[in-house]
Amino acid sequence: MQRHSTHSPLLSLPGAVPAEGRDEGVAAHYGDLFREQRALADGTGFVDLSHRGVVAVTGDDRLSWLHLLLTQHVSDLPVGRATEALILSANGHIEHALYLVDDGETVWAHVEPGTQAELLAYLESMKFFYRVEVADRTDDFAVVHLPAGSIAEVPEGVVVRETPHGRDLFLPRADLESFAASHGPAAGILAYEALRIEAHQPRLGAETDHRTIPHELGWIGTAVHLQKGCYRGQETVARVQNLGKPPRRLVFLHLDGSEVHLPGHGAPVRLAADGAEGRQLGFVTSSGRHHELGPIALALVKRNVPVDAPLLVGEKTAAAQEVVVEP
């Protein structure tokens, strides 16, 4: 997976500690994870998401064309209305997740770091005779997140994607440092991720693997429109919706706070009653430390795992589950 070639200039801010893995290029935190989380929860500060890919689609047919490719109904998407959508494989497995807004002339989308090249290659292959142009604008625009409740002013002319969870700004990359100077305090990606996990929001590459379907993650409703067809993978979505049940389901985990280390992505999940030698029934997809809830995680488990069963993560971390996707 390709990464953006430069690291954020905001890594030079006082206390900045670089993130690793899929969030490499921005700050993990700026010296105080819980203070940063509390600021976001209170509607202050911002999060540097400038490592995310930015894709723009222009042309008279942009909405009707995207409508044919995406899981979401976007043919008459109102100007300024945020939505999210998926691109599926022919078998209905999730390949891309797009976070969209149309400004009247251009559909702007931000995507997972490093996925924009593969996404653009697919979009280019599907243009045919439609009046559309697609472009990778990651070098020119940086995504910045303002939390819900923020009263911070948005610079004039900046495209905004507003959701119940906050506002995503498509900020000219050259303005990132001046924006930070006037919109602090900065919060790192670990604070942002902890609040994402708390909100049960799935993330491509974290909650997904090569066989994930939208029903397993609760992406039905927010990213999939069940009354539209004519997109790749739609048959699988319709079949599971009408006739079957997904093989796995997303759960939220409250982890035993006495453990020093958080379980990493892929840590096995078992029934606590079976112990560390029991059969693996799922795996951790994301974990974090929350300023109020303590250590938390999301996990994918088999659909038939009892919803009230105490779980064991890894070798010894006890976990209590909350239902995200009904079995």
Side-chain angles (χ1 to χ4, degrees), residues 81-105:
R81 179 176 294 177
T83 192
E84 55 190 84
L86 307 173
I87 291 177
L88 306 181
S89 73
N91 293 323
H93 301 138
I94 299 168
E95 292 189 343
H96 293 282
L98 297 82
Y99 300 84
L100 306 162
V101 67
D102 182 77
D103 68 2
E105 296 181 351

Side-chain angles (χ1 to χ4, degrees), residues 24-293:
E24 180 184 356
V26 296
H29 60 83
Y30 295 90
D32 192 335
L33 169 63
F34 292 149
R35 177 187 59 78
E36 295 163 31
Q37 275 188 45
R38 286 191 290 269
L40 293 179
D42 291 340
T44 59
F46 72 95
V47 184
D48 175 14
L49 299 179
S50 62
H51 62 320
R52 291 184 65 79
V54 176
V55 173
V57 183
T58 55
D60 292 343
D61 295 337
R62 65 190 183 280
L63 290 175
S64 58
W65 176 69
L66 286 170
H67 186 78
L68 299 174
L69 305 178
L70 305 179
T71 57
Q72 188 59 272
H73 195 299
V74 297
S75 59
D76 53 0
L77 183 68
V79 172
R81 179 176 294 177
T83 192
E84 55 190 84
L86 307 173
I87 291 177
L88 306 181
S89 73
N91 293 323
H93 301 138
I94 299 168
E95 292 189 343
H96 293 282
L98 297 82
Y99 300 84
L100 306 162
V101 67
D102 182 77
D103 68 2
E105 296 181 351
T106 302
V107 173
W108 296 87
H110 64 81
V111 299
E112 284 298 319
T115 65
Q116 62 268 25
E118 184 181 346
L119 171 61
L120 258 75
Y122 171 69
L123 294 177
E124 285 285 354
S125 74
M126 300 300 291
K127 283 169 62 173
F128 302 116
F129 54 84
Y130 289 94
R131 296 170 295 173
V132 294
E133 295 295 331
V134 296
D136 181 353
R137 302 303 305 275
T138 311
D139 285 336
D140 305 313
F141 289 89
V143 181
V144 173
H145 176 77
L146 296 174
S150 170
I151 59 173
E153 267 190 48
V154 175
E156 187 175 353
V158 169
V159 175
V160 178
R161 181 180 174 276
E162 185 163 3
T163 76
H165 301 287
R167 290 176 287 170
D168 297 335
L169 279 52
F170 293 87
L171 185 74
R173 191 169 287 274
D175 297 342
L176 192 55
E177 289 180 278
S178 61
F179 178 90
S182 58
H183 288 76
I189 196 71
L190 291 183
Y192 180 84
E193 280 287 283
L195 298 179
R196 175 186 71 82
I197 293 168
E198 178 195 17
H200 306 165
Q201 295 176 290
R203 180 177 177 186
L204 184 79
E207 277 61 59
T208 66
D209 58 20
H210 66 283
R211 59 191 179 98
T212 308
I213 60 175
H215 284 84
E216 295 178 317
L217 303 184
W219 245 328
I220 299 296
T222 60
V224 178
H225 195 285
L226 292 173
Q227 274 68 57
K228 64 158 286 195
C230 301
Y231 60 88
R232 190 173 67 176
Q234 185 264 342
E235 295 84 357
T236 298
V237 171
R239 186 167 63 249
V240 174
Q241 181 70 19
N242 297 323
L243 301 175
K245 295 177 180 176
R248 303 177 297 181
R249 60 185 180 89
L250 189 68
V251 295
F252 176 79
L253 300 179
H254 293 271
L255 303 174
D256 179 4
S258 65
E259 296 296 330
V260 175
H261 299 291
L262 287 171
H265 182 275
V269 175
R270 303 176 173 90
L271 292 177
D274 294 342
E277 302 303 317
R279 183 166 62 98
Q280 182 174 340
L281 300 174
F283 61 94
V284 168
T285 58
S286 299
S287 60
R289 298 190 187 278
H290 192 276
H291 68 289
E292 290 181 340
L293 302 176

